[in-house]
Amino acid sequence: MALVPYDPFRGLERMRNYFDQIFPDTLYPFHMQMPVVPIDLHETETELIASCDLPGLENKDDVDIDIENNTLTIKGTIRRTHDVNEKTFRQRERFEGSFHRSITLPYLVDENATKATYRNGVLEIRMPKRQQARKGRVQVDFH
């Protein structure tokens, strides 16, 4: 007899699957909300690089990238082309709809020199770091 590890969420997953079968998407639309868009952020000496998995983008108009007040915001829409009759779906897990994610950047970046590429379902944003202001001692004049 094989031992099966205890999974405290197994019952919740069964209940979710049960509700998915009972209620059609039109009555129970909230189970398809996209989880938080995962973003990896790393740096080199000269730039910050953000990477996130966004499978299903079809063209550049489906995603907007903004950098304002040291915050990177990625938002857009994933559309799926349906070759399958809606009534024949037995399970649907791939996300379709709008997404939005904002993160605070650890450094000031040059918004005008930022470049983004989308390849194989991964969005990569390369943001050059701004030159840091030089530290200097301020002299105080006493009168």
Side-chain angles (χ1 to χ4, degrees):
M1 179 171 140
L3 292 175
V4 178
Y6 175 69
D7 181 6
F9 300 105
R10 186 179 301 145
L12 291 174
E13 184 64 25
R14 281 189 203 141
M15 186 170 39
R16 178 178 175 250
N17 290 336
Y18 177 73
F19 280 109
D20 287 346
Q21 291 173 3
I22 292 175
F23 298 108
D25 290 337
T26 56
L27 297 177
Y28 184 58
F30 304 109
H31 76 284
M32 288 301 295
Q33 289 184 355
M34 184 174 195
V36 174
V37 175
I39 297 177
D40 292 340
L41 183 67
H42 67 279
E43 67 177 292
T44 66
E45 286 187 27
T46 59
E47 63 186 356
L48 288 173
I49 302 167
S51 300
C52 57
D53 296 334
L54 289 172
L57 292 177
E58 294 179 0
N59 60 56
K60 64 182 180 180
D61 295 329
D62 289 343
V63 65
D64 287 320
I65 302 167
D66 293 314
I67 300 172
E68 186 176 342
N69 297 329
N70 215 37
T71 300
L72 171 66
T73 301
I74 303 168
K75 58 185 171 182
T77 304
I78 294 176
R79 296 173 182 85
R80 303 269 183 221
T81 56
H82 297 290
D83 297 336
V84 180
N85 184 338
E86 292 291 320
K87 293 181 181 182
T88 62
F89 269 106
R90 295 294 176 242
Q91 184 164 331
R92 178 182 280 169
E93 294 182 357
R94 297 185 321 157
F95 175 77
E96 179 178 8
S98 297
F99 61 89
H100 179 271
R101 177 74 194 272
S102 294
I103 61 169
T104 302
L105 300 173
Y107 300 105
L108 295 175
V109 297
D110 185 356
E111 300 89 355
N112 297 322
T114 295
K115 305 281 186 211
T117 57
Y118 181 74
R119 185 176 298 118
N120 297 329
V122 177
L123 178 67
E124 181 181 84
I125 306 163
R126 300 181 84 86
M127 302 164 281
K129 294 178 185 176
R130 278 195 197 165
Q131 294 296 326
Q132 298 294 328
R134 293 187 178 148
K135 290 185 178 181
R137 189 169 177 93
V138 176
Q139 298 295 326
V140 178
D141 291 327
F142 283 90
H143 297 280

